[in-house]
Amino acid sequence: MYGITETTVHVTYKEITEKEIESNQSNIGVPIPTLGCVILDDSQKLVPTGVQGELYITGAGLARGYLNRDTLTKERFVDITIGNNTRKYYRSGDLAKINTAGELEYLGRKDDQVKIRGYRIELGE
């Protein structure tokens, strides 16, 4: 399972096989039923299958923002229109792509954030 604090913890799921472990890929599967995921480019447009972009998350399990951090909330929780549908999305900062099986592959971070013992650390700070 792949998850982030800005949702109800879990975002995607995937049963990992021995073949996937050996391939050294980070296949994180598909969204859980109450959430949706899209991969967008720097202009917040959908990217084609197999193309890297930033992972955005939407749905019923998405937080409303950060407590007492209005600037950060406006930066990370954004309204995006896809087709005729405008929804609130969370910009995860995670890079991913959709593979030919329609599953998400985690590719790393867009920024310099790391986690140490579960705590997010911004290296620039």
Side-chain angles (χ1 to χ4, degrees), residues 83-103:
N84 293 326
N85 204 0
T86 300
R87 301 184 75 168
K88 181 77 68 189
Y89 284 83
Y90 174 70
R91 296 181 55 220
S92 72
D94 290 329
L95 296 172
K97 68 179 181 179
I98 299 174
N99 64 24
T100 55
E103 297 174 330

Side-chain angles (χ1 to χ4, degrees), residues 71-90:
T71 302
L72 185 58
T73 295
K74 288 177 186 171
E75 176 186 317
R76 304 302 277 186
F77 292 84
V78 295
D79 290 327
I80 297 175
T81 302
I82 297 176
N84 293 326
N85 204 0
T86 300
R87 301 184 75 168
K88 181 77 68 189
Y89 284 83
Y90 174 70

Side-chain angles (χ1 to χ4, degrees), residues 12-119:
T12 67
Y13 66 99
K14 166 83 176 144
E15 184 175 338
I16 304 297
T17 65
E18 185 73 28
K19 180 181 175 184
E20 288 168 318
I21 292 169
E22 292 169 359
S23 75
N24 202 28
Q25 294 176 323
S26 292
N27 185 330
I28 58 175
V30 296
I32 64 172
T34 59
L35 295 172
C37 298
V38 294
I39 309 296
L40 304 178
D41 64 17
D42 289 338
S43 300
Q44 296 182 332
K45 303 293 182 204
L46 289 169
V47 299
T49 298
V51 175
Q52 174 181 292
E54 185 173 356
L55 177 60
Y56 285 68
I57 299 146
T58 190
L62 189 62
R64 288 181 263 164
Y66 298 110
L67 182 62
N68 300 323
R69 301 203 56 196
D70 294 340
T71 302
L72 185 58
T73 295
K74 288 177 186 171
E75 176 186 317
R76 304 302 277 186
F77 292 84
V78 295
D79 290 327
I80 297 175
T81 302
I82 297 176
N84 293 326
N85 204 0
T86 300
R87 301 184 75 168
K88 181 77 68 189
Y89 284 83
Y90 174 70
R91 296 181 55 220
S92 72
D94 290 329
L95 296 172
K97 68 179 181 179
I98 299 174
N99 64 24
T100 55
E103 297 174 330
L104 294 160
E105 288 186 31
Y106 178 83
L107 302 172
R109 290 288 301 168
K110 188 173 181 172
D111 54 21
D112 293 325
Q113 185 183 91
V114 297
K115 275 192 172 181
I116 300 174
R117 296 187 186 122
Y119 292 95

Side-chain angles (χ1 to χ4, degrees), residues 6 11 21 47 93 125:
E6 292 79 5
V11 176
I21 292 169
V47 299
E125 294 178 359

